[in-house]
Amino acid sequence: MTDIPAVDSAPREPGAAEEDFRELTRRVTAAGLMSPRKGQYAAAIVTVWLMNAAGWAALALSDGSWWRAALAAVWLAVWHEQLAFLLHDAGHRQISRSQKTIRALGLIHGNLMLGVCFGWWVQHHNRHHNHPNHLELDPDILRRVAIFAPEQAQQRTGFARFLAANQRYLFFPLLGLESVVLRIAGVIALRRRAVRRPWLEGGLMALHAVLFFGALFWLLPWPSALLFLAVHQVLLGYLLGLAFAVNHKGLPTRTGGEWSWLERQVLTSRTLPTGLIGDFFYGGLNYQIEHHLFPGMPRSALRHAYPLVKQFCAERGIAYTETGVLESYRDLSRHLGSASEVLRSGTVTA
């Protein structure tokens, strides 16, 4: 797959585009893929809670051993990623249509169990879904130091300019900080009162910090506790970062023009078909095109929607990007290098 420049595409005929999406919606609905799957989610929540409890129990029985602490950190990083996916699915109303249930699930799995601000994340993520890969409106692009199109280069100065110029080599190492960055972004949103219930959300995040660090330093001597923190936070950052990094990066960006919902979701996303193990570590988001078209579709239905959406796009002549896992990371690396070439060549001045 080659690097794709920013585009400013003229929209298709609005009526035709809307009818296309209605037809696709009819097909996935007829296949039962939009139906709630409360039983599956209940089982998933119980499983994730039990696996997290098992990790903390193992930590309590580790006798302060550094290698047991490291193993527990790996285990808990994997299952904390699954907590993050439950937060994600709750925010998209995949688990329930009830606003109260959604809020409770988000606050429990996000603020209390992960220390991530659910209110900030929902606002941020909804804007991303409405404007994927828009250089001026997509917050997933705006909050990054990395640049994804050459026209962003002018905005980088100082140390941020150095990072962007060398992003092809630094982007993946820095993904290890992703879980920390998400928490910092939530704290900033709380300070700015950018969420509806800052005291509730902030209080739950503070309680998370007290319980997490209190239990850690109570159960482990400080050298083992610091090792646990390093392994857990870096691995969790990579698990989250690698699951999200390839969803849109390296695909068309835009600064103007209005594509239809169908076009902007399909053309700016890629799907990575995998087996069940891959689906587990990606939280179903490897079927990114399907998820962006139907954000409320339950996670387990996405792999079944994939052949329907792919066939539909082929019928309508809409480009559908499908790659393997390793190929997707190679594409991203090449694109990061291409987008930042103007900085390395010195053709853009600060």
Side-chain angles (χ1 to χ4, degrees):
M1 184 178 159
T2 58
D3 292 319
I4 305 172
V7 296
D8 187 1
S9 175
R12 298 172 66 198
E13 264 318 304
E18 291 172 5
E19 179 54 39
D20 282 347
F21 185 64
R22 282 195 292 268
E23 172 58 25
L24 179 57
T25 302
R26 283 193 288 269
R27 295 187 189 186
V28 299
T29 302
L33 300 179
M34 296 300 296
S35 301
R37 304 191 177 192
K38 294 182 179 180
Q40 290 183 2
Y41 271 114
I45 290 171
V46 170
T47 299
V48 171
W49 282 40
L50 288 175
M51 294 300 101
N52 274 278
W56 284 105
L59 199 64
L61 299 173
S62 66
D63 296 324
S65 165
W66 67 267
W67 65 268
R68 289 178 180 173
L71 288 177
V74 171
W75 177 269
L76 284 170
V78 170
W79 291 101
H80 280 187
E81 182 197 28
Q82 298 306 310
L83 285 174
F85 289 143
L86 289 174
L87 177 158
H88 172 273
D89 293 0
H92 279 301
R93 301 172 180 260
Q94 295 175 19
I95 302 176
S96 172
R97 301 293 190 251
S98 164
Q99 186 62 38
K100 290 184 178 179
T101 302
I102 290 166
R103 187 181 302 116
L105 289 171
L107 292 174
I108 291 170
H109 292 97
N111 301 61
L112 181 60
M113 299 183 76
L114 283 176
V116 174
C117 183
F118 179 66
W120 162 78
W121 182 85
V122 167
Q123 295 175 30
H124 178 283
H125 197 61
N126 284 344
R127 291 198 303 272
H128 159 70
H129 266 263
N130 286 328
H131 309 286
N133 273 17
H134 196 294
L135 296 179
E136 298 170 349
L137 298 174
D138 184 352
D140 274 359
I141 285 180
L142 296 176
R143 74 180 177 91
R144 301 285 181 181
V145 174
I147 62 175
F148 302 101
E151 52 264 47
Q152 290 182 289
Q154 188 70 48
Q155 305 164 13
R156 301 299 185 267
T157 59
F159 186 57
R161 181 185 179 90
F162 167 81
L163 293 176
N166 296 280
Q167 64 184 20
R168 180 172 186 174
Y169 309 103
L170 296 175
F171 184 83
F172 287 104
L174 290 176
L175 282 181
L177 300 174
E178 185 65 18
S179 66
V180 176
V181 169
L182 285 173
R183 293 179 176 93
I184 292 173
V187 171
I188 292 173
L190 288 174
R191 289 186 61 186
R192 294 175 176 173
R193 301 296 180 95
V195 297
R196 291 180 59 189
R197 297 174 177 83
W199 289 107
L200 174 61
E201 297 223 20
L204 288 173
M205 290 169 66
L207 180 58
H208 163 82
V210 170
L211 293 175
F212 182 85
F213 289 105
L216 192 60
F217 284 96
W218 180 53
L219 295 171
L220 298 174
W222 70 265
S224 296
L226 292 179
L227 175 64
F228 175 96
L229 277 175
V231 173
H232 177 266
Q233 291 301 303
V234 170
L235 180 56
L236 179 58
Y238 272 114
L239 289 171
L240 292 173
L242 292 174
F244 286 96
V246 295
N247 293 341
H248 306 280
K249 308 303 183 278
L251 290 165
T253 57
R254 59 198 177 98
T255 55
E258 277 304 321
W259 294 344
S260 69
W261 174 266
L262 177 65
E263 290 169 310
R264 66 178 182 264
Q265 307 306 333
V266 175
L267 298 177
T268 63
S269 306
R270 61 163 61 82
T271 281
L272 284 62
T274 68
L276 293 178
I277 293 177
D279 290 1
F280 174 83
F281 282 102
Y282 278 97
L285 299 180
N286 45 318
Y287 301 102
Q288 187 67 192
I289 293 175
E290 291 69 28
H291 169 60
H292 256 255
L293 284 170
F294 304 102
M297 180 180 289
R299 184 196 313 178
S300 61
L302 293 169
R303 66 182 293 111
H304 303 291
Y306 151 64
L308 295 179
V309 173
K310 182 179 177 181
Q311 176 61 34
F312 182 86
C313 290
E315 293 172 6
R316 297 300 193 274
I318 301 172
Y320 181 102
T321 302
E322 174 186 356
T323 65
V325 171
L326 293 180
E327 182 185 357
S328 69
Y329 294 122
R330 286 195 295 266
D331 286 347
L332 175 57
S333 180
R334 285 195 296 266
H335 180 76
L336 289 170
S338 175
S340 60
E341 175 61 31
V342 292
L343 290 173
R344 295 191 301 276
S345 65
T347 56
V348 173
T349 57

